[in-house]
Amino acid sequence: MSALPTATTGRPEPARTDAAHGRAATGARVEFRSLRRAFGPTVALDGLDLTAGPGELLALLGPSGCGKTTALRVLAGFEQPDSGEVLVDGEDITRIPANRRDAGMVFQSYSLFPHLNARDNVAFGLRVRKVSAAERHATAAELLDLVGLPDHGGRFPHQMSGGQQQRVALARALALRPRVLLLDEPLSALDAKVRLSLREEIRRLQLSLGITTIFVTHDQEEALSMADRVAVLNAGRLEQCAPPAELYERPATAFVAEFVGTMNRLPGHLTGTGSVEVAGATLPVDGEIPAGGGPVDVLIRPEGIRAEADPEGTATVVSASFLGSVTRVLLDLPDGVAAKADLPSRDAADLLPGVRARVTPVPRPVLVVPAAPVREPSAGKAAA
Amino acid sequence: MTVLHPSAAPGPGAAAPTGRKAAGRTRRRRPPRAWLGALPLLVFAGLCFGLPAGALLYGALTRTDPAAGTTELTGEHLSRSLQGPYLTSLTGSVQLSALTAALATVLGVLIAQAVVTSRRGALRGAVLTASGVLANFGGIPLAFAFVATLGISGVVTEIGHLDALGWNLYSFTGLTVIYLYFLIPLMVLVVVPALDGLRPQWREAALNTGATTWQFWRHVGLPVLAPSLLGGFVLLFGSAFAAHATAAALVGGSVPLVTLKIADALSGNVLVGQENVALALSLDMIVIAGLVMAVYLPLQRRSSRWLR
Amino acid sequence: MAALTPVSRPPVSGPPVSTAPVAAPVKPARRRPRYWRGAVLTVAGLYFLTPLVSSFVFTVHVPNQGVTFAAYSGILSADGFTESLFLSLSLACATIALALLLVVPALVAVRLGPPRLRAVVEIVCMLPLVVPPIALVTGIATVLRWGPDHFSRTPLYQTFLAVQNESFPVVLVLAYTVLALPFVHRSLDAGLRAVDVPTLVEAARNCGAGRLYVILRVILPNLRSSLAGASFLTLALVLGEYTVASLLGFRPFAVWIVSVSGAEARMSVAVSLLSLLITWALLLVLSRAGTGSSAAVPAAGPSTAPAATTPAASAPAASAGGPSTAPTAVPGKE
């Protein structure tokens, strides 16, 4: 406790440098080791192994029910794993009660105590530890300052907006100087604009404090824009854990490829010798090649497809949406296949609906998966 | 009356101008004569509630000289209603209501918490339905059920030989036991939504900031519930205070209760000419019930804001 | 709990994580089984079941004669039973009809009309809560006495006689409607809160429906469960009402039970028990008839939830949504 004020003294600016020094040492290393947790027949965690380095912001990303929240709650001590362990700085904390875990948590929403004002909410943990009132007030004021609400100490939760409430919740989570910060979809209940600004704010604060942070989200844009590394979870297992760019450019599995970003799924043929023929082009295959050869699906991002107006072309433009520097063009390919292509807007000027076009993949290594028996994923949606 | 008439009678009249104004502003939304739909209710309330209430107030505060035929304002009835046996009956009612309401609050919360924390939905449904029925199981039937159970020749009295232990249903204690029978279910109904409103995040946030379960209840749980609990207590107090039938069927005067006194005075069981004191006692009750409501409503407003 | 913590967590401030494992037998975070819950529910169950069971035993077991169901078989032929029950039921029907006819249009008007009307209607409907039934009777009795005293030579006197007609005392319907107002208002208000009346009305009128048609065919069907709830509460209130009726000298069901209790103690208990079972059955029927399993149970079902969750709702109604049943029948009935 005594160390707390030094870390967050003064206004945000000096505090940042101070804190960066003070905190860098405290950034803890968090490890999940083969965590398993089942709720009745539902397996939420199926042998999860994952590590967050000191001071890192690690995002847990996945569809709902993939186990990301369970992992966070196991770390916070609200859930017990059936097997496996959680380590913080090498110590097994799996059996330690939640109230002695030293991990500050921000919940999805409405977790502020309704009968306390912002200041008392922030100082709650200090009050539990019998810190003197003066010190509590000082600390709460500093933290509220840090989250950009210096004048809101006297407000009650119902008098604050959702974004303000989450800032206070963040301050409360930081009040005890936890070694790990846990964020459980803290932005999902906010509207788009607030979400955007608060996400930058959280990242700035996290960097300045150097605190190891685990961030659960189902919003890939949020995960990719904020995190040092993103762990994609599916059905209780880790699919891939990598920095955002790598996740996008070199997805390790088909699930990641299709879950992160937009992906076209085009029919192709393996030609042997590690390449695949798709839409009239032959491209090298990246990663695993499905056994047996034959028909496969080729995964190509919209920016990996080029299209130009050509009366001889086999594709038809369905629609074109102007998105600023790029224009996304939906195309009908032969055999009922649909594709999306992101083109520089100036190249897409003549691709009006109904126009014939020629489609060529950019010659880059592509991922290949066994052909889906029924065609309905991303490409199908585009057609609709 | 001063309170009642203005609200009841000029209601529609007062509403009319606003109606026109509002209609002008948002014509699409507000048909100009929409308030006419409320007119029958307001007239009815003025006639069937306002009139008796006015008569009550008038009778409690005036004295008519039969010989001269003159009527004058007097505090005589009120002051008589606050003396001697009448005062005893008032304090008796207040004591019984406060005791039963306090007991029922504690016991009701325990039962409600047991139901809310249970993972079995069937248990919850059963307890809530039972509470809905039992809270309505007041009055005469309740009194007779207890006579059959704990009365002089009641089943439990005979099995347990309670009369030898000095048990008497027709007493303050006996009434307490009976009143709890409908007050506890009432409290369960009142407090279950409040307990449901206690978000699991609060407990987790408290644990997360180092609080023990006990500290959570002390610093968060109870303070957040306090308005609901107090509001529930006040409501139970009001119910017990206004109760008449159960006691009337049972005791017949051995426990001093204000409702029994009023009934006696009204049905001429005592001296003739007691009607005005009955009216004054009724006025006393209304004042107390009004205070109860004045406490209850703001509490309820606060808790609904916290527990939304 | 408070005593445990300091022991196992020596320096309050330090990184608890590192110290905790040292204090070897750390209590696992898993929940302990909750014995208290079983204990509480068992005791409560005993308290609430005992009177019911012993009432039944009392009615069928006559000392020195063994088990007999005479108390039940004699009910129907008992003197005054059918008359009083019929009177109570017809009073209940009239009260329900009157209360709904008054409150439904008022609440719809409140939603369509000026905002201030809402507060007025709410206050008018809540005021009877402040006046205990016995106080209302004293007021009514006073007014009724004016009849012979002041109006005996005017045509109004006929009205006074008419409302006090022994075979169907209209005055009781009026009094019961006043007592039922708060509960009917709460139940319907909670139901209406789930319905966006102005939009529904506009949508229906846009499809060419007239106003009356809108109310009958659009609004009311959406209120089914709260109408059922309000009717149930009113019915329970009227069937059990003793204070007003006995003090005004009428003889509906509850008064009849008391009057036979002296001579037929067993029968009065039997009838009491039956009336509870009938209430119970009605409640179950209603909850099935409503939207879902427990929807119509005014206290237990979803009707609670919307009320509790609508923050803007003005307090008395909002708050009461849940407890609605509760305060509901009790004060009136007692």
Side-chain angles (χ1 to χ4, degrees), chain A residues 305-325:
Chain A
I305 293 181
R306 285 192 196 131
E308 50 196 315
D310 180 352
E312 307 288 296
T314 54
T316 314
V317 175
V318 176
S319 71
S321 331
F322 178 73
L323 302 174
S325 58

Side-chain angles (χ1 to χ4, degrees), chain A residues 4-26:
Chain A
L4 175 65
T6 58
T8 54
T9 39
R11 269 168 233 101
E13 281 309 309
R16 206 178 300 178
T17 47
D18 260 355
H21 279 292
R23 296 275 177 163
T26 66

Side-chain angles (χ1 to χ4, degrees), chain A residues 328-353:
Chain A
R328 172 160 296 181
V329 182
L330 302 192
L331 298 143
D332 264 349
L333 304 186
D335 304 328
V337 178
K340 298 172 200 165
D342 284 354
L343 308 171
S345 287
R346 61 177 186 285
D347 297 349
D350 15 328
L351 291 174
L352 302 172

Side-chain angles (χ1 to χ4, degrees), chain C residues 22-60:
Chain C
V22 183
V26 174
K27 186 185 51 154
R30 214 184 262 286
R31 296 258 161 85
R32 295 155 296 163
R34 295 190 168 165
Y35 298 114
W36 68 267
R37 184 162 58 210
V40 164
L41 290 176
T42 309
V43 172
L46 275 178
Y47 171 67
F48 285 104
L49 284 179
T50 306
L52 303 181
V53 173
S54 19
S55 294
F56 182 70
V57 171
F58 182 84
T59 52
V60 299

Side-chain angles (χ1 to χ4, degrees), chain A residues 55-358:
Chain A
E56 186 177 45
L57 196 163
L58 177 69
L60 301 187
L61 175 68
S64 61
C66 71
K68 53 193 192 305
T69 293
T70 307
L72 198 73
R73 292 172 60 81
V74 166
L75 177 52
F78 301 137
E79 298 285 351
Q80 283 291 305
D82 297 333
S83 64
E85 51 211 25
V86 182
L87 285 75
V88 174
D89 277 345
E91 295 156 18
D92 183 356
I93 62 160
T94 320
R95 294 282 145 191
I96 294 181
N99 58 346
R100 284 183 250 157
R101 287 254 172 144
D102 199 19
M105 180 143 167
V106 178
F107 296 81
Q108 201 161 353
S109 61
Y110 305 117
S111 72
L112 293 187
F113 306 128
H115 65 302
L116 299 178
N117 61 25
R119 190 184 305 115
D120 291 340
N121 258 292
V122 174
F124 181 83
L126 303 173
R127 182 163 135 212
V128 165
R129 301 190 179 193
K130 311 245 178 346
V131 175
S132 76
E135 200 177 326
R136 275 183 349 227
H137 271 82
T139 309
E142 284 161 17
L143 283 162
L144 285 174
D145 217 26
L146 197 66
V147 297
L149 295 174
D151 305 325
H152 289 63
R155 299 261 186 105
F156 284 87
H158 63 88
Q159 297 167 325
M160 290 188 284
S161 69
Q164 290 171 336
Q165 289 189 32
Q166 289 303 70
R167 284 165 192 262
V168 175
L170 184 63
R172 179 177 67 186
L174 293 171
L176 291 177
R177 284 204 61 186
R179 292 193 297 175
V180 187
L181 180 62
L182 309 178
L183 308 173
D184 184 9
E185 309 218 16
L187 308 177
S188 63
L190 307 177
D191 60 47
K193 206 162 180 182
V194 179
R195 203 181 312 168
L196 214 62
S197 72
L198 196 50
R199 121 180 153 192
E200 285 161 9
E201 182 105 5
I202 290 176
R203 176 58 162 164
R204 177 184 70 75
L205 210 61
Q206 186 266 338
L207 284 175
S208 74
L209 299 176
I211 184 170
T212 309
T213 302
I214 316 275
F215 182 104
V216 162
T217 179
H218 63 267
D219 179 342
Q220 49 165 300
E221 194 190 323
E222 216 164 88
L224 297 179
S225 67
M226 289 173 72
D228 293 310
R229 284 192 305 149
V230 178
V232 179
L233 270 61
N234 182 30
R237 291 181 156 278
L238 180 66
E239 291 276 339
Q240 184 176 11
C241 182
E246 186 183 329
L247 207 64
Y248 188 82
E249 297 294 342
R250 297 183 38 226
T253 65
F255 177 84
V256 175
E258 292 196 279
F259 187 75
V260 176
T262 309
M263 190 59 89
N264 288 304
R265 207 176 169 125
L266 304 179
H269 282 279
L270 287 175
T271 59
T273 70
S275 55
V276 64
E277 195 185 291
V278 57
T282 304
L283 306 175
V285 173
D286 194 15
E288 230 174 288
I289 297 174
V296 290
D297 278 346
V298 182
L299 303 177
I300 307 180
R301 297 231 180 254
E303 60 270 28
I305 293 181
R306 285 192 196 131
E308 50 196 315
D310 180 352
E312 307 288 296
T314 54
T316 314
V317 175
V318 176
S319 71
S321 331
F322 178 73
L323 302 174
S325 58
V326 298
T327 293
R328 172 160 296 181
V329 182
L330 302 192
L331 298 143
D332 264 349
L333 304 186
D335 304 328
V337 178
K340 298 172 200 165
D342 284 354
L343 308 171
S345 287
R346 61 177 186 285
D347 297 349
D350 15 328
L351 291 174
L352 302 172
V355 167
R356 284 269 171 196
R358 187 156 47 84

